[in-house]
Amino acid sequence: MLELKTGNIADQPDCDAIVNAANAELRTGGGVAGAIHKVGDPQLTELTRSLAPISPGEAVITEAPNMPNKFIIHCLGPVYGKDKPEDKLLADCYRNALDLAEENKIESIVFPAISTGAFGFPKREAANIAFKTVKEKSSGLKHVNYIRFVLFDAADYNLHWDTLKEW
Ligand code: AR6
């Protein structure tokens, strides 16, 4: 099942895993990373220390301190116009996150719109890549049976809904 919702990625108590739109150092930042680390720190930064730095497209997994979720999957999205090819690197984030979810027997996972904030990826293009990648992976998923996209506001929700309808 695929669901779209507006909301805060750090407040998704009903899902096994949340995905962080991380920075390479796996530290706190703005946007999604800021919201997640605000709840998870200082323990979260302690957990990520030995896993950093990561490269664009890469994903790593930690526990989710101070949160009702079991795991956080940290993905480094591409910086639009800098990390190339952007479309492949963004798809790698979703692919690698879902692979980690499967390895850890995660059933439900929540994604933010990776790279579409500070990293400047055009939102419609990013949404297309996200849905295309999830669709391609879906037939091979044995544990993950629920994928949610949490969008920050109504405009982002509508854009994603319009894009999803095309899939
Ligand atoms: N919940 C859900 N979505 C959010 C939230 C939230 N709490 N906050 C922002 N968004 P971004 P990126 C939306 O910038 O582009 C950080 O500083 C936001 O509107 O969080 O991958 C890190 O430290 C946008 O659509 O991630 C990195 O340095 C989307 O989530 C860098 O930004 C992603 O925005 C990562 O940039």
Side-chain angles (χ1 to χ4, degrees):
M1 186 190 288
L2 182 63
E3 187 186 31
L4 304 186
K5 261 184 142 176
T6 53
N8 177 4
I9 190 77
D11 184 21
Q12 305 294 322
D14 57 335
C15 286
D16 293 341
I18 59 172
V19 175
N20 184 10
N23 47 64
E25 295 75 31
L26 301 174
R27 298 211 185 102
T28 190
V32 167
I36 291 176
H37 278 267
K38 190 174 168 191
V39 182
D41 276 349
Q43 297 94 323
L44 183 56
T45 296
E46 206 48 54
L47 290 173
T48 53
R49 198 183 302 279
S50 61
L51 303 172
I54 62 169
S55 314
E58 201 178 339
V60 294
I61 190 164
T62 64
E63 289 167 12
N66 310 325
M67 294 180 199
N69 317 96
K70 290 185 201 151
F71 298 103
I72 303 172
I73 296 177
H74 307 261
C75 294
L76 179 61
V79 176
Y80 196 77
K82 176 173 169 273
D83 299 318
K84 294 186 183 285
E86 290 106 338
D87 51 352
K88 178 189 176 291
L89 292 172
L90 185 60
D92 284 347
C93 287
Y94 289 96
R95 271 194 284 268
N96 289 330
L98 288 170
D99 285 344
L100 277 177
E102 282 291 302
E103 282 166 26
N104 289 277
K105 299 186 171 51
I106 286 166
E107 295 184 359
S108 50
I109 182 168
V110 193
F111 285 99
I114 299 169
S115 279
T116 66
F119 285 175
F121 213 114
K123 289 184 176 179
R124 188 170 290 273
E125 209 179 316
N128 247 310
I129 292 166
F131 294 138
K132 180 171 185 278
T133 309
V134 165
K135 187 166 185 243
E136 283 168 1
K137 292 288 286 180
S138 61
S139 61
L141 299 175
K142 293 191 173 56
H143 298 284
V144 177
N145 56 51
Y146 180 94
I147 299 173
R148 177 182 297 161
F149 281 82
V150 167
L151 293 322
F152 202 46
D153 58 22
D156 282 358
Y157 176 91
N158 290 335
L159 180 148
H160 280 76
W161 179 234
D162 287 346
T163 308
L164 185 59
K165 277 192 287 191
E166 290 162 20
W167 285 99

